[in-house]
Amino acid sequence: MPHVVTDTFAHVMLTRRAALSGLLAGAVAVASGVVIAAAIDVVSPVDAVGSEVIDRSPGSVKAWAIEQFGTSDKTVLRLGIYTILVIAAFTLGALSARRRTIGTTGIAAFGAVGALAALNRPDQGLLATIPSVLGALAGIAVLHWLLRLATQTLHSAPAADDTAPPPDVAPFDRRRFLIASGATAAAAYTLGASGIALTKVRLNNLRRQASRPLPPLDRPVAGTPTGAQLFDETPFLTPNSRFYRIDTALSFPRATLDEWTLTIDGMVDRPLTFTYDDLLAREQVERTITLCCVSNAIGGPLVGNARWQGVMLRDLLEEAGVRPSAEQVFSTSADGWTSGFPVAAALDGRDAMVVLGMNGETLPIEHGFPARLVVPGLYGYVSATKWLERITLTTWDDAGYWLQYGWAKDAPVKTQSRIDVPRPSSTIEAGRHAVAGIAWAQHRGIERVEVSIDDGPWLEATLAVDVSDDTWRQWMIEWDATPGEHTIAVRATDKDGETQTADRADSYPDGATGHHTIQLTVE
Ligand SMILES: Nc1nc2c(c(=O)[nH]1)N[C@H]1C(S)=C(S)[C@@H](COP(=O)(O)O)O[C@H]1N2
Ligand SMILES: [Mo]
């Protein structure tokens, strides 16, 4: 029955063309969304969905993603979303070979998801649904157009005269379909590339604003004080480009300097609002403070040390007049992220700051331009709000972003230490070697660091100059390495006399514990 074979073959070919049509329609939809979003300066549908995924996924998943992928977590998320979109577009296209409504409904559903996600973002409005809606419409139109060209009448074999194609269905024209597909791919590519280019323009505009130099300091701090740097691998001051970045923002919040203000409100006598220039006009101070992430695994990279320039938070709070009933300093970012810490931490004399500059430069966008908070001794998730817009004095009834996922309300940083040299799992030559690293216990300070080799006695390491209780301290010890496999462990003691516990705990819910331990081979 050659007829049936032809039919089946024709069906397979049709399904393939339909799948390709779906893929191309999906590409046009997504690329249109990106370019329209960039043109009208709203969040792109993919980023909106990504942000919703971040906010809606369980706390354990989020913590896992940060621990697994660290600062690449966003790239991984985007790749995930694009993979799902490709598979969905392909499948919807293939299914549309038989029923067009499947493709129409499918693309419309994706458009609806994008629109709802955008609408749900704290800093976005109705306008943000337009890229999803127009993108979906473009996708549906392209899908129908390509499917019409892809359709081959199955019984167009010359013998079957009585099943000749109905007059409105032209026989399949391979050349036309290929040209149309190629043109669609080119269009999707052009749209996507324009979207990326427009997004870059926006980013460059932001960067230009963030490159405005800060006023000079009366008393700048010494960059790296003599004796603070014991080894080269980890600089005492982490350059901005190497400073870890952790946040939930897929694209930078849309704030321009002329519109930006910082408001202090809630349980205060006088609510205050500052413009960027207001803050710059105030006395500028600079402090070196180590910032770390609660998600940092033992030995992990989510810690950095920088010189922060800005104004003291307590000065602003005193001007506003904090009411005695206020319990929490609750802050909100331009993208709706929140954090909060006890009022005491802002007023107990520690250098809690509204930060405008980092390591002598205007605060980079990645780290919170125009302004952010930095509070020595507290993890970033309860205190270090970037793209800061509002500081509200309130009670504990308000819960910051991560508290909703079960992370601790009370989050002082835990005393930690890390071995940076030699590298874990490396192979080194027998002989004398420096074992070195960093230790931090912000607001309490580092008193002592000890190293144990192959579970031997704890040997006291040499400490770098004590710059301040709020900064990390480098440490170093000489080791006569003998051939074989070795284990090196480190532990620190803070100035309260508290020594790091050996008990291993995950970072959830208030920071990891345990001794950083490395294995290496000596030849
Ligand atoms: N707006 C905003 N601020 C934020 C976050 C965020 O997700 N959004 N993450 C916090 C967390 S968890 C940490 S550890 C620090 C990290 O600051 P950095 O990226 O400048 O290193 O920023 C804090 N500030
Ligand atoms: Mo964090």
Side-chain angles (χ1 to χ4, degrees):
M1 289 279 277
H3 204 92
V4 171
V5 172
T6 311
D7 266 12
T8 315
F9 179 71
H11 249 304
V12 169
M13 295 311 285
L14 173 60
T15 308
R16 278 196 192 181
R17 291 193 297 269
L20 176 65
S21 305
L23 198 61
L24 291 169
V28 167
V30 171
S32 309
V34 169
V35 76
I36 295 167
I40 61 175
D41 199 16
V42 295
V43 67
S44 90
V46 171
D47 282 1
V49 169
S51 293
E52 286 296 301
V53 169
I54 294 176
D55 287 357
R56 281 160 193 275
S57 56
S60 53
V61 173
K62 280 200 266 279
W64 172 84
I66 291 176
E67 257 186 50
Q68 288 300 306
F69 310 117
T71 47
S72 321
D73 55 350
K74 296 193 185 80
T75 314
V76 174
L77 175 64
R78 274 214 188 84
L79 277 178
I81 291 175
Y82 279 115
T83 308
I84 289 172
L85 284 173
V86 166
I87 294 170
F90 206 75
T91 314
L92 283 174
L95 293 174
S96 301
R98 284 171 189 274
R99 295 189 60 198
R100 302 272 162 98
T101 45
I102 296 179
T104 311
T105 321
I107 295 178
F110 273 89
V113 168
L116 286 176
L119 202 55
N120 209 36
R121 297 315 300 156
D123 56 342
Q124 301 287 313
L126 214 51
L127 201 64
T129 60
I130 291 177
S132 298
V133 173
L134 294 186
L137 288 177
I140 291 169
V142 167
L143 181 68
H144 280 256
W145 177 56
L146 286 178
L147 281 179
R148 204 161 54 238
L149 295 178
T151 306
Q152 179 176 26
T153 44
L154 296 178
H155 300 280
S156 58
D161 47 292
D162 56 343
T163 54
D168 60 328
V169 180
F172 173 59
D173 181 342
R174 170 180 299 277
R175 223 177 92 86
R176 265 192 84 184
F177 177 72
L178 286 181
I179 290 173
S181 302
T184 308
Y189 176 83
T190 311
L191 285 170
S194 318
I196 290 169
L198 276 178
T199 310
K200 280 224 179 84
V201 169
R202 175 182 165 251
L203 194 61
N204 285 339
N205 284 338
L206 260 178
R207 288 207 195 284
R208 221 186 341 272
Q209 293 189 64
S211 65
R212 207 174 113 173
L214 294 175
L217 290 151
D218 292 340
R219 276 179 292 145
V221 301
T224 302
T226 321
Q229 186 81 52
L230 292 184
F231 64 102
D232 296 334
E233 282 78 355
T234 308
F236 173 72
L237 286 172
T238 315
N240 292 354
S241 58
R242 278 178 59 186
F243 206 97
Y244 80 94
R245 177 186 166 199
I246 290 291
D247 54 62
T248 59
L250 275 177
S251 54
F252 298 116
R254 288 157 181 75
T256 58
L257 261 197
D258 5 311
E259 292 163 22
W260 181 86
T261 53
L262 171 62
T263 299
I264 300 183
D265 62 5
M267 300 160 105
V268 292
D269 297 330
R270 291 166 297 276
L272 300 172
T273 295
F274 301 94
T275 64
Y276 191 65
D277 287 332
D278 290 341
L279 291 178
L280 285 183
R282 298 179 72 95
E283 191 203 348
Q284 301 287 300
V285 295
E286 191 176 41
R287 295 288 185 272
T288 305
I289 300 168
T290 297
L291 181 66
C292 60
C293 182
V294 69
S295 299
N296 195 35
I298 294 298
L302 306 181
V303 55
N305 187 45
R307 289 186 287 133
W308 308 98
Q309 171 177 348
V311 298
M312 282 298 164
L313 176 62
R314 68 170 163 273
D315 293 344
L316 301 179
L317 293 186
E318 270 160 20
E319 216 169 291
V322 176
R323 299 237 172 99
S325 47
E327 297 168 341
Q328 186 184 194
V329 178
F330 185 81
S331 56
T332 309
S333 74
D335 59 338
W337 187 86
T338 54
S339 75
F341 55 89
V343 169
L347 303 176
D348 66 2
R350 78 179 81 191
D351 294 330
M353 296 174 71
V354 172
V355 165
L356 307 169
M358 182 177 182
N359 287 326
E361 288 169 31
T362 304
L363 190 62
I365 306 165
E366 289 80 0
H367 298 288
F369 175 81
R372 76 173 304 170
L373 286 170
V374 168
V375 183
L378 299 182
Y379 284 123
Y381 81 100
V382 292
S383 64
T385 303
K386 308 194 272 189
W387 313 296
L388 179 67
E389 275 192 349
R390 187 173 294 274
I391 297 173
T392 308
L393 277 294
T394 180
T395 64
W396 285 109
D397 287 344
D398 287 303
Y401 184 89
W402 284 100
L403 268 59
Q404 303 160 39
Y405 303 99
W407 290 77
K409 171 179 109 178
D410 199 20
V413 303
K414 292 186 177 171
T415 302
Q416 282 202 20
S417 51
R418 189 178 79 191
I419 304 167
D420 289 349
V421 198
R423 300 300 307 155
S425 313
S426 58
T427 301
I428 58 172
E429 277 176 24
R432 285 196 85 69
H433 282 274
V435 176
I438 49 174
W440 61 96
Q442 296 93 302
H443 193 52
R444 298 184 299 279
I446 289 293
E447 176 73 40
R448 187 168 62 245
V449 172
E450 295 158 296
V451 172
S452 162
I453 296 182
D454 300 326
D455 287 325
W458 287 103
L459 311 166
E460 198 159 335
T462 305
L463 285 179
V465 144
D466 195 4
V467 177
S468 94
D469 289 349
D470 295 339
T471 62
W472 62 20
R473 245 178 129 171
Q474 297 199 344
W475 56 266
M476 178 181 265
I477 197 166
E478 290 273 317
W479 175 42
D480 208 353
T482 53
E485 302 291 317
H486 293 285
T487 302
I488 307 177
V490 65
R491 70 176 190 192
T493 302
D494 63 28
K495 290 181 182 172
D496 288 349
E498 206 76 51
T499 301
Q500 272 182 268
T501 171
D503 295 343
R504 292 214 147 238
D506 283 341
S507 53
Y508 184 84
D510 62 357
T513 66
H515 298 156
H516 186 212
T517 307
I518 66 165
Q519 254 103 38
L520 74 169
T521 309
V522 179
E523 282 181 348

